[in-house]
Amino acid sequence: YVAWTGKVHSALARHEQQMQTTVTTDDQEQGGKVRYFLLPLACLTGGIVFFMYYTGEGDVLAGNGASSVFYSVVVSLMVCYALLRADRTATHAALVKQTFDGMAELLPIVTILLLAFAFGACMQQLQAGQFVAGLISSNLPLWLVAPTIFLAGCFISFTTGTSWGTFAILIPVAIPVAVATGLSPSLLLAAVLSGGVFGDHCSPISDSTILSSLASGCDHVVHVDTQLPYALTAGITALLLFTLAGI
């Protein structure tokens, strides 16, 4: 809808209006070259595969993912530094300053992400997802089973910030319910997946939400505020359709 009409609404319209009044042409940087982006990116993606192969001793699937990403980032930064110094685009002191300035900009987001992981781990230790899943009873009217599982998925993923964790909790609940009640397993599986993705997309402690705001250079709270009306519209529509499918 936004892509076709170019219109935005609610909080997104308000924040975009504020940005249009504050952003000036002085904020735009000129003179960049495509190779400054493409070569470090190629080193990053290719390096991950290489170091996964190297740390896995010939088996990519057995490689150390965290170490491979770290090594690849270091290599890509070195390549970027070499390109800028070779073209005399910036001095050594300026590049070092930009590096630390970049780290400083990421620090608040990394802190939020760290606390989000800690909160999600606490919720898992408290078995909040299992508690919610236990509220789903096979004694529900059949037409309510799919929307109830969808809502449970929304709640679990929103409060824990993980979609995959929600799948692991609810799929073992949904499939036996489908077998016992004669409902379509595909319908209940779709309810689990939809609910998990919805909550993960909206949750302010989800790594997906945090990294989205980081990648776009948007304030994290603003990102959550602006995406909620659109996500809720899709979620309510899905809830109605799951109810209709159950009926």
Side-chain angles (χ1 to χ4, degrees):
Y1 167 80
V2 174
W4 288 340
T5 64
K7 297 178 181 179
V8 294
H9 303 282
S10 188
L12 184 57
R14 183 174 69 254
H15 286 292
E16 283 202 350
Q17 182 64 31
Q18 293 175 354
M19 288 298 298
Q20 290 174 0
T21 58
T22 56
V23 175
T24 64
T25 55
D26 294 336
D27 297 322
Q28 299 178 0
E29 297 183 1
Q30 303 295 331
K33 297 181 180 179
V34 176
R35 65 172 176 269
Y36 295 161
F37 169 73
L38 291 181
L39 288 178
L41 182 62
C43 292
L44 178 66
T45 54
I48 291 175
V49 177
F50 170 78
F51 286 114
M52 285 289 289
Y53 178 86
Y54 178 79
T55 57
E57 298 182 352
D59 185 358
V60 174
L61 298 180
N64 188 316
S67 298
S68 299
V69 171
F70 174 74
Y71 298 150
S72 301
V73 168
V74 172
V75 170
S76 62
L77 284 174
M78 293 173 62
V79 170
C80 186
Y81 174 88
L83 287 172
L84 294 173
R85 290 293 292 134
D87 290 346
R88 300 183 182 277
T89 303
T91 64
H92 171 75
L95 291 175
V96 172
K97 182 179 183 300
Q98 289 178 2
T99 301
F100 281 97
D101 287 345
M103 293 179 186
E105 290 181 4
L106 295 179
L107 186 59
I109 297 296
V110 172
T111 304
I112 294 173
L113 190 60
L114 177 63
L115 294 175
F117 285 151
F119 182 77
C122 291
M123 294 296 291
Q124 291 178 359
Q125 289 295 322
L126 293 172
Q127 297 185 342
Q130 286 83 342
F131 172 75
V132 175
L135 298 178
I136 303 173
S137 171
S138 58
N139 295 325
L140 282 172
L142 292 182
W143 63 275
L144 271 179
V145 173
T148 301
I149 289 179
F150 171 73
L151 289 175
C154 293
F155 179 79
I156 294 172
S157 58
F158 185 86
T159 54
T160 61
T162 170
S163 57
W164 288 95
T166 302
F167 303 156
I169 292 170
L170 281 184
I171 288 178
V173 175
I175 299 304
V177 169
V179 173
T181 59
L183 290 172
S184 168
S186 300
L187 174 63
L188 298 191
L189 182 60
V192 172
L193 299 180
S194 301
V197 171
F198 170 84
D200 182 49
H201 180 72
C202 298
S203 176
I205 65 170
S206 164
D207 56 343
S208 303
T209 307
I210 295 171
L211 294 177
S212 295
S213 59
L214 167 64
S216 59
C218 174
D219 182 85
H220 180 60
V221 176
V222 171
H223 174 53
V224 174
D225 183 33
T226 54
Q227 73 175 346
L228 272 178
Y230 293 91
L232 286 172
T233 300
I236 292 172
T237 303
L239 178 62
L240 294 175
L241 291 175
F242 278 121
T243 304
L244 179 62
I247 293 175

